[in-house]
Amino acid sequence: MPETLVFAMEVFLNGLMAGVLYALVALGFVLIYKASGIFNYAQGVMALFSAMTLVGIMNGQVPFAHLINATFGTDLHYFGWNVPALLAILLTVVVMIGLAWAVNQIIFRHLVNQEPIILFMATIGLAYFLEGFGDIMWGADIKKLDVGLPQGINEAIDEATFQIFDYGFFIDNLDIVATIIAAALVFALIVFAQYSKQGRAMRAVADDHQAALSVGISLNFIWVMVWSLAGFVALVAGIMWGTKSGVQFSLSLIALKALPVLMLGGFTSIPGAIVGGLIIGVGEKLFEFCFGIGQCFGGFINLGGATELWFAYVLALIFLVFRPQGLFGEKIIERV
């Protein structure tokens, strides 16, 4: 088998795994938008904040240490203990649920029935607040996140593909584990939304707030639940991306890559987020392989690399022109 085709297959597999992670980030947006009509610009920062909180708890770091030391002249930084990864994750989940409750009580409970642009601007303010609050709470330095996930090349796949194609596949163990976890979480969220009592209530609120209220559904409970789920999704995404590239400011930018996913799949569709993520993940990798570094068609087209930075947005722009509701989104019909 030609070497170029084998490399293309490797790129395709890596694109699929990246697409699952993109879909996971996009799910946080979809959950909140379906239940409340709010486009949560802060979803990426929630991933950053959850990852910073997880690292801080695991390392036994004193919250607000810099502020405490500057105010009282102390030299406190660590409690002197380390928390096991699983316990730290559970404690971080509690923190994210508390954050969801606070966001609903302090901000969005007072913005019911406001214009969508006002709600969107509120999430922008929330994003910048969380980013600064996280820096004050845990410090702004780059942090290493290690919860015990395997990393490095998968030697079994490398050897197996070498036996078949005479070329090995470079597949990272972390990408494999992240894909399995993300796929399981996506499946669980679909089952929850379709078959659970709370999921049906969430869909009822998404369809009509007033009708949901008339049958006894609590909007406050649904919104706290949805923000908690989005916070949990952000935590999982933060663990995966933080383990891969470290916990730093750029982690919050993963939300920007989720935007094209939403534009392709639709802002109101969980299956759309999955399909959109896979299309973006595979598409950007193959486009970079074929045209970014000129590995297809004899190198006839070579754009010099870095096409992964803009491919997704160009594809999303095309969808906005010809199918603005996305592949699975609800078509908006306004009667005048």
Side-chain angles (χ1 to χ4, degrees):
M1 184 176 291
E3 181 180 357
T4 301
L5 182 58
V6 176
F7 287 163
M9 293 171 61
E10 178 184 335
V11 169
F12 178 82
L13 288 176
N14 279 285
L16 279 178
M17 292 186 290
V20 174
L21 289 178
Y22 292 157
L24 179 62
V25 178
L27 273 177
F29 288 94
V30 172
L31 287 171
I32 292 178
Y33 190 83
K34 279 180 67 68
S36 60
I38 299 173
F39 179 78
N40 181 25
Y41 182 84
Q43 185 67 26
V45 181
M46 288 171 63
L48 172 63
F49 179 80
S50 63
M52 294 174 69
T53 302
L54 177 58
V55 173
I57 293 175
M58 287 180 63
N59 294 337
Q61 186 176 346
V62 178
F64 306 105
H66 295 290
L67 182 61
I68 294 172
N69 293 337
T71 303
F72 300 102
T74 56
D75 189 28
L76 297 174
H77 295 284
Y78 297 94
F79 290 111
W81 63 68
N82 292 323
V83 179
L86 182 58
L87 177 58
I89 291 173
L90 293 176
L91 292 175
T92 306
V93 169
V94 173
V95 172
M96 297 307 292
I97 293 175
L99 175 65
W101 178 85
V103 165
N104 183 68
Q105 291 295 113
I106 298 174
I107 303 175
F108 293 108
R109 187 167 64 90
H110 304 287
L111 297 177
V112 175
N113 296 325
Q114 294 294 327
E115 294 293 327
I117 186 61
I118 295 177
L119 299 172
F120 174 65
M121 293 301 293
T123 65
I124 293 179
L126 175 63
Y128 283 103
F129 169 79
L130 272 182
E131 186 179 320
F133 186 74
D135 287 346
I136 294 174
M137 189 174 184
W138 302 113
D141 54 311
I142 299 176
K143 301 171 177 63
K144 181 181 179 181
L145 177 58
D146 184 7
V147 295
L149 297 178
Q151 299 186 57
I153 184 173
N154 188 289
E155 295 182 359
I157 294 178
D158 184 56
E159 292 176 2
T161 52
F162 186 83
Q163 294 293 328
I164 299 173
F165 304 114
D166 291 331
Y167 297 100
F169 279 15
F170 184 88
I171 305 294
D172 196 311
N173 283 313
L174 177 61
D175 289 336
I176 296 174
V177 173
T179 300
I180 294 172
I181 293 175
L185 180 58
V186 168
F187 177 76
L189 288 173
I190 292 176
V191 172
F192 172 80
Q194 295 295 326
Y195 301 107
S196 71
K197 179 180 179 181
Q198 291 78 13
R200 290 193 293 269
M202 181 182 72
R203 288 188 286 127
V205 170
D207 291 337
D208 191 320
H209 289 181
Q210 296 301 323
L213 282 172
S214 67
V215 296
I217 296 175
S218 171
L219 293 185
N220 280 333
F221 170 77
I222 294 299
W223 286 340
V224 170
M225 180 191 71
V226 168
W227 277 87
S228 299
L229 286 174
F232 179 71
V233 170
L235 171 60
V236 175
I239 291 174
M240 302 307 169
W241 289 99
T243 302
K244 181 188 291 284
S245 58
V247 179
Q248 53 187 314
F249 169 76
S250 61
L251 185 61
S252 64
L253 301 181
I254 61 175
L256 298 180
K257 187 54 71 76
L259 295 182
V261 174
L262 294 169
M263 294 173 188
L264 263 66
F267 284 83
T268 59
S269 173
I270 292 179
I274 301 168
V275 174
L278 295 178
I279 291 175
I280 292 295
V282 172
E284 69 178 13
K285 298 292 185 185
L286 288 179
F287 190 86
E288 172 77 12
F289 178 77
C290 287
F291 305 113
I293 58 177
Q295 293 296 310
C296 297
F297 311 110
F300 179 71
I301 300 177
N302 190 333
L303 301 178
T307 60
E308 287 188 51
L309 299 176
W310 53 262
F311 170 81
Y313 302 97
V314 173
L315 185 60
L317 181 61
I318 295 173
F319 266 77
L320 285 177
V321 172
F322 295 102
R323 190 176 175 83
Q325 74 271 23
L327 292 173
F328 297 89
E330 300 172 357
K331 190 173 183 178
I332 300 175
I333 301 176
E334 293 186 1
R335 295 177 174 84
V336 295

